[in-house]
Amino acid sequence: MEKIRVGVLGNGSWATAIVKMLSENTDEIGWYIRTPYTLGYILEHKHNPKYIPQIEFDISKLKLSNDINEIVRHADYLIVAIPSAFLKPELDKITEPLEDKVVFSAVKGIIPENLMILGEYLEARYGMPPERLGVIAGPCHAEEVAMERLSYLTVAAGKKEHARRLASLLESHYIKTTLSKDVHGIEWAAVLKNIYAIAAGVAHGLGYGDNFQAVLVSNAIREMRRFIKKNVDKKKRNIMRSAYLGDLLVTAYSTFSRNRLFGNMIGKGYTVKSAMMEMTMVAEGYYATKSAYLINEKKGKARIPIIAAMYDILYRQKPAKEVMRALTAELD
């Protein structure tokens, strides 16, 4: 089989975990690191100074660069793992042609300037053919990858051969993979589950118990189905698969979930600004809440009481206690 050159864009926790997974199976990984300090630190100390520092890298396998175009130029497959709030300015730096690349999204967010997921943006902005686009989804927390706890990934691509080839580079004794062609559905599920995890966190912060959490998550998976059907496509998909329900469950319940932590802080009375200042990682669900709400208002108008409730709390500054009390009347 022809050797695939892979480049990873981003140096947050998920990007760091992805590089670790790839390093199990390949001898050269291109890695775009935006800041010179972080790049130099990784070269000297063999780990990321800010994210998942317990992962130690074999530096001989890493081709690090502060130049995003250098990484793009030398890659056959690109994995984009830059938080959505900062994604467009980074993508706008790319001058290398992308048409002959295969690009996988590991973003789990919506580009706020365009109200698009990464795959949609790449099609519109760079003319990327759908068969050369893909997505990497969970349920899989970066922290458990670092500990080499058994985890599962769903790798989807418009052309299944692309998904199969990347999956072979991610698999190991602690990573199992499932293949799919449902790129847009899975990419949207990865976005929406972060919003529902914030809702779960808000509920926990307000003192709601396990019984309510179960009802909330049960309603969330149904709301996810309605949103995707109205705003993405009517493709038949099994919402109970791990990329949908499994990723939602782990993000809503896990202590590693930054979105749940963010919501928990809001439920306990933190302002959005103070919660963000205290956290060291980006809660993608905060940005996704506004984007998903606006997209639904413009396009599908699906019934989305949970997303609407989070929008009221996070963007309209309505009291979390009152909003959640009202939400309980809409759940079953």
Side-chain angles (χ1 to χ4, degrees), residues 223 226-232 292-305:
E223 182 172 308
R226 292 194 299 270
F227 183 98
I228 292 174
K229 188 173 182 179
K230 287 280 189 177
N231 293 288
V232 183
Y293 180 84
L294 294 177
I295 287 168
N296 190 65
E297 284 292 294
K298 291 180 179 180
K299 293 176 64 176
K301 297 192 182 298
R303 191 173 73 85
I304 53 168

Side-chain angles (χ1 to χ4, degrees), residues 212 214-216 218-220 222 226 303 327-332:
F212 177 75
V215 172
L216 178 67
S218 173
N219 277 263
R222 286 175 276 156
R226 292 194 299 270
R303 191 173 73 85
L327 178 63
T328 62
E330 300 195 54
L331 306 182
D332 57 38

Side-chain angles (χ1 to χ4, degrees), residues 29-162:
I29 305 153
W31 192 3
Y32 169 60
I33 308 288
R34 186 175 62 86
T35 64
Y37 168 78
T38 301
L39 189 154
Y41 192 98
I42 293 173
L43 286 175
E44 183 177 354
H45 299 283
K46 302 181 182 180
H47 65 86
N48 192 322
K50 190 175 180 181
Y51 300 105
I52 320 294
Q54 61 268 44
I55 295 178
E56 184 171 309
F57 293 105
D58 179 349
I59 299 302
S60 68
K61 293 186 175 185
L62 304 182
K63 179 183 177 63
L64 306 180
S65 179
N66 294 133
D67 181 354
I68 195 170
N69 281 292
E70 182 180 359
I71 299 303
V72 171
R73 186 181 309 118
H74 293 288
D76 303 309
Y77 282 32
L78 285 168
I79 300 173
V80 183
I82 300 168
S84 60
F86 316 113
L87 183 55
K88 188 177 183 299
E90 293 299 318
L91 292 178
D92 286 347
K93 295 176 184 177
I94 297 175
T95 56
E96 290 290 319
L98 291 174
E99 294 83 1
D100 61 340
K101 312 291 181 182
V102 179
V103 183
F104 282 83
S105 172
V107 174
K108 306 180 183 180
I110 303 170
I111 301 173
E113 296 91 339
N114 306 86
L115 297 182
M116 293 178 177
I117 54 175
L118 177 61
E120 293 170 338
Y121 181 74
L122 292 176
E123 286 184 51
R125 171 72 172 78
Y126 296 98
M128 290 282 301
E131 63 269 17
R132 301 188 76 83
L133 295 172
V135 61
I136 302 171
C140 189
H141 279 306
E143 292 82 358
E144 293 202 352
V145 172
M147 292 183 279
E148 300 191 359
R149 289 181 175 175
L150 182 61
S151 302
Y152 289 69
L153 292 175
T154 297
V155 182
K159 185 176 180 181
K160 208 162 187 177
E161 176 63 14
H162 294 321

